[in-house]
Amino acid sequence: MPTLETPFASLELQRQPHQANEPLQAFDAADEYLLHHLHEHGIAPSSRVLLLNDSFGALACSLAGHCQVTSSGDSHLGFLALQKNLASNGLNGDTVTFLPSCETPQGPFDWILIRVPKTLALLEEQLIRLHGQLAPNARVVAGAMIKHLPRAAGDLLEQYIGPVQASLAVKKARLLSAIPEAKAAPSSPYPTRYRLDKPALELVNHANVFCRDGLDIGTRAFLPHLPRHLGRVRVADLGCGNGVLGIAYALGSPQAELTLVDESYMAVQSAQENWRAALGDRPVTIRAGDGLAEQPADSLDLVLCNPPFHQQQVVGDFLAWRMFQQARAALVTGGELWIVGNRHLGYHAKLKRLFRGVEQVAANPKFVVLKATK
């Protein structure tokens, strides 16, 4: 297992979800650069440090016990990784406070260390929420691998924090240091909203929701083909995003029992607000989770899924394959997994390895809708 060596600690860290023979590390040179920068400037046990988007806990685990650490991010998988990495390195979990990104951190903070996220709307919302939370002489430093550092990230830091200075590159990583200056309280452009005609819905989308400004084309291909049931079927919208699949299904199946789950806290927040707007107080379970890992076996009749094809900047089908396995375990015999996917991803062949029957329900030149029966 790769070891993260910094002036603060020597740590063995794992990504979440963990894969056997994991090809990727749970940290990179940008994490190392941020930690060395912090050490060079000195950190006191009384210092309050806010970490934003610390993907698998590399920064928080390194700083645990050295200062007062609050870590905030939008990934439930990241939260699970933080817990597991603290425990596996013998660190006290109480030394790090975790805050989902849908909540505003309460300062004042002396240091803000930011891993620049893939979604710049998330960064913008996080910077807006820092207003009034910085201590006098606070330092704000963002880090990223250069290939994942768009110019717009520096523009956002300058807009919401103050003048920005870029560091020299070290191991293909770079830091952006922003000097806080007095600014009027900013107004947030988030959440965004858009309307659907069929079904007739107005959907709220918080900053880190996938395809925030309109319905993604995969879901658009899926919606006309959603199954309908009149009985008390137990249904999960797996990777629910803003909840549109689960909500649309629920509108056509009035007695169904729905569970909506996503690993993004902002997706869950969006889904909760959208469900209330569309279905009022109809009972539902909407939660952040590691897919259906916590779902009891043989407890679902139907799973709906528009699976992701990336985790942060890493593109691949590992998460989708894992979601298919989770769905199979949670479904009763005869239960069905319905998915939409790009044609080129070959989900049909993958599903045949897990399910006794796989049918194509619909297709267009780009997407296929598939039904897999356990």
Side-chain angles (χ1 to χ4, degrees):
M1 187 185 305
T3 301
L4 173 61
E5 299 276 1
T6 72
F8 294 103
S10 176
L11 302 169
E12 291 187 346
L13 302 170
Q14 290 187 353
R15 296 170 65 92
Q16 182 69 22
H18 179 63
Q19 297 184 64
N21 303 314
E22 174 66 70
L24 301 171
Q25 295 185 161
F27 59 90
D28 60 22
D31 294 311
E32 296 172 333
Y33 204 169
L34 282 166
L35 290 166
H36 280 280
H37 179 82
L38 185 62
H39 185 262
E40 288 170 5
H41 285 81
I43 189 77
S46 61
S47 297
R48 297 193 66 196
V49 178
L50 174 63
L51 309 174
L52 298 178
N53 314 315
D54 180 22
S55 299
F56 302 106
L59 299 175
C61 289
S62 298
L63 296 175
H66 294 278
C67 53
Q68 299 178 42
V69 182
T70 298
S71 181
S72 179
D74 195 49
S75 170
H76 185 70
L77 290 173
F79 169 64
L80 295 177
L82 170 61
Q83 289 185 311
K84 291 183 178 182
N85 284 324
L86 285 167
S88 65
N89 285 280
L91 298 168
N92 183 352
D94 294 336
T95 59
V96 177
T97 299
F98 181 82
L99 202 65
S101 60
C102 52
E103 301 179 27
T104 298
Q106 297 301 305
F109 295 102
D110 303 295
W111 281 87
I112 315 291
L113 301 185
I114 305 170
R115 285 304 312 262
V116 176
K118 179 179 180 180
T119 305
L120 289 182
L122 173 59
L123 176 63
E124 182 175 21
E125 178 69 4
Q126 290 171 325
L127 294 176
I128 289 169
R129 294 185 187 190
L130 288 180
H131 183 81
Q133 307 298 337
L134 302 182
N137 302 313
R139 298 171 183 263
V140 179
V141 186
M145 302 305 293
I146 292 172
K147 64 182 178 179
H148 300 315
L149 184 59
R151 184 181 186 88
D155 295 339
L156 288 172
L157 281 164
E158 189 158 342
Q159 178 180 351
Y160 293 109
I161 304 298
V164 173
Q165 181 175 3
S167 74
L168 297 174
V170 174
K171 296 182 181 178
K172 299 182 180 179
R174 177 161 283 143
L175 305 183
L176 301 176
S177 298
I179 302 171
E181 60 182 17
K183 290 179 178 287
S187 60
S188 175
Y190 310 105
T192 56
R193 290 172 170 80
Y194 63 82
R195 296 193 63 85
L196 293 184
D197 294 328
K198 293 183 179 181
L201 296 171
E202 181 177 80
L203 296 168
V204 165
N205 301 273
H206 287 276
N208 201 39
V209 172
F210 175 69
C211 213
R212 186 181 56 260
D213 298 319
L215 188 66
D216 71 275
I217 54 177
T219 299
R220 190 176 298 279
F222 198 175
L223 279 175
H225 306 287
L226 288 179
R228 293 188 176 212
H229 300 90
L230 298 180
R232 292 189 176 278
V233 289
R234 298 160 297 174
V235 184
D237 181 353
L238 175 56
C240 67
N242 66 10
V244 61
L245 285 178
I247 291 168
Y249 175 85
L251 288 170
S253 301
Q255 295 187 63
E257 299 174 5
L258 270 290
T259 296
L260 282 63
V261 60
D262 201 287
E263 77 101 19
S264 159
Y265 297 110
M266 285 188 170
V268 168
Q269 182 184 15
S270 304
Q272 289 169 336
E273 295 176 15
N274 289 327
W275 180 278
R276 283 194 297 269
L279 294 152
D281 59 359
R282 176 171 164 178
V284 67
T285 298
I286 304 178
R287 59 180 172 83
D290 175 10
L292 295 176
E294 301 168 22
Q295 187 75 26
D298 305 315
S299 65
L300 294 173
D301 303 295
L302 174 66
V303 176
L304 308 172
C305 186
N306 180 359
F309 51 87
H310 60 80
Q311 184 178 21
Q312 297 158 18
Q313 282 92 359
V314 179
V315 176
D317 66 355
F318 168 64
L319 287 181
W321 175 248
R322 191 165 179 272
M323 292 166 87
F324 299 159
Q325 292 174 308
Q326 290 176 340
R328 185 186 186 282
L331 285 166
V332 298
T333 300
E336 298 172 353
L337 167 65
W338 287 55
I339 73 158
V340 64
N342 287 79
R343 281 179 173 274
H344 73 272
L345 293 175
Y347 285 152
H348 192 280
K350 291 179 172 66
L351 289 169
K352 280 188 172 181
R353 295 162 58 186
L354 293 174
F355 292 84
R356 64 181 173 87
V358 180
E359 303 174 31
Q360 180 175 297
V361 175
N364 64 30
K366 190 172 180 63
F367 291 97
V368 292
V369 177
L370 303 173
K371 177 180 76 171
T373 304
K374 180 176 175 180

